[in-house]
Amino acid sequence: MTPLTKPANDGGGAAPAPLAGRPRLLERLESVLGAPVEILPEVGSTNEELSARAREAADRRDPLPDLTLLATDFQSAGRGRLDRNWLVAPGEALTFSLLLHPGAADGTALPARAYGWLTMLMAGAVVQALHDDGVPARIKWPNDVLVDGRKLVGILASLVTLDGLPPAVVIGAGINVTTSQLPVETATSVSREGGSTDRGGLLESVLEKFVPLYRRFCQDPGRLTRPDGSLRRAVEQDVITLGSSVRAELPGAQAPLTGTAVGMDEDGALLIRDDEDGVHALMAGDVVHLRPAREAR
């Protein structure tokens, strides 16, 4: 892997070097993934574009391989969870999506309920890469990476139905790298937190962390994510939500759920213990907002 280059300042100076048009970077990324890589100068949404390509390839009976990567220098119509806008100036974010066909070594597809862990695996890989770069990032369940409460990374997983094949997952990440324009006031960036502005090096580092996590997970997700599972313990240690008093806003007319986040289960659901000692398992799709209990009052 190419060493990351530390920034000379916070968002000023020369324009960020583009990712597109760098054949050596493509070669390194393809070597890490063992799958095709494409980097576009601009696209509306890497998740939507890769999902559409995956469906078209399946219709042609020539499916895209596991770990196919699509990245871009500028995502012009980025969306977060619950269709929230997420827009960063050209060249200032690292934005990419991976196509996953989660399955065992014998080709057996994993049960769809196991897919809830894929977002956590990507978040864990991003956090590990940022830690290597000196950025003290933590995971906020279900799909954010924060530094001291400020959002640095958003992750979004989408289920993709494919003709004649088990469902696939496209998992995308948007990492704020430099800071002339942040998507929200409560956001931060890698450069603002003292990290590198080398987007290519950061992408390579994230993928080097993710691939072994993903392959381990596919071998035996049940064993690795049970309460004493090594993968579950490794990810949970970086989840800042755990041990906190939280308030979960639920869809429709359901009353909010307040309690303590005590862990995650085998499906990646957040376990919340309420004031009467009952434990509730909430999947990401069950929650509109998750906030610290004191902040939500």
Side-chain angles (χ1 to χ4, degrees):
M1 174 184 162
T2 303
L4 298 179
T5 303
K6 289 290 182 179
N9 53 49
D10 185 19
L19 297 176
R22 294 170 59 181
R24 290 185 180 178
L25 175 61
L26 286 178
E27 289 175 5
R28 294 200 304 271
L29 298 177
E30 288 176 348
S31 177
V32 171
L33 296 169
V37 174
E38 185 172 358
I39 302 177
L40 302 175
E42 179 178 340
V43 71
S45 161
T46 56
N47 266 28
E48 291 181 5
E49 177 68 18
L50 187 53
S51 296
R53 293 185 182 196
R55 286 190 290 266
E56 291 168 3
D59 289 344
R60 298 192 304 268
R61 300 297 187 264
D62 185 22
L64 296 181
D66 191 31
L67 293 168
T68 294
L69 173 70
L70 181 68
T72 186
D73 279 307
F74 177 49
Q75 181 171 257
S76 60
R79 298 280 179 177
R81 202 172 70 90
L82 302 178
D83 210 31
R84 298 173 183 132
N85 289 325
W86 188 262
L87 185 63
V88 179
E92 297 202 344
L94 171 57
T95 309
F96 64 92
S97 296
L98 277 173
L99 176 68
L100 305 178
H101 297 287
D106 63 2
T108 304
L110 298 188
R113 63 181 182 82
Y115 291 6
W117 267 93
L118 297 173
T119 300
M120 287 290 105
L121 298 184
M122 177 58 74
V126 170
V127 164
Q128 290 177 26
L130 291 169
H131 285 179
D132 286 352
D133 196 30
V135 177
R138 301 289 302 280
I139 301 168
K140 177 190 173 187
W141 187 92
N143 68 324
D144 291 337
V145 174
L146 313 179
V147 176
D148 293 332
R150 298 182 298 275
K151 184 171 178 177
L152 178 60
V153 184
I155 299 170
L156 181 65
S158 305
L159 191 68
V160 184
T161 56
L162 302 175
D163 186 26
L165 294 169
V169 175
V170 167
I171 185 161
I175 305 174
N176 302 326
V177 178
T178 54
T179 60
S180 70
Q181 176 184 322
L182 289 171
V184 292
E185 292 181 359
T186 54
T188 188
S189 71
V190 175
S191 64
R192 183 171 290 183
E193 301 300 333
S196 170
T197 58
D198 178 5
R199 293 182 300 149
L202 181 57
L203 177 56
E204 189 177 355
S205 180
V206 170
L207 297 176
E208 286 177 337
K209 310 294 186 187
F210 177 78
V211 170
L213 286 174
Y214 172 64
R215 288 181 172 154
R216 282 179 58 203
F217 173 78
C218 287
Q219 289 173 3
D220 193 347
R223 179 176 61 85
L224 292 169
T225 61
R226 65 192 185 192
D228 62 346
S230 59
L231 190 58
R232 178 165 163 180
R233 292 198 308 269
V235 173
E236 283 188 335
Q237 69 182 359
D238 286 322
V239 180
I240 198 171
T241 312
L242 301 185
S244 302
S245 296
V246 297
R247 177 184 171 97
E249 304 286 344
L250 306 177
Q254 299 179 79
L257 174 63
T258 301
T260 301
V262 294
M264 295 167 57
D265 71 8
E266 289 85 346
D267 299 334
L270 184 67
L271 302 176
I272 298 178
R273 188 183 302 278
D274 63 26
D275 294 339
E276 298 179 354
D277 212 31
V279 177
H280 308 259
L282 297 180
M283 297 296 292
D286 299 331
V287 179
V288 178
H289 295 289
L290 185 76
R291 298 188 174 98
R294 286 177 295 179
E295 177 186 304
R297 289 174 183 164

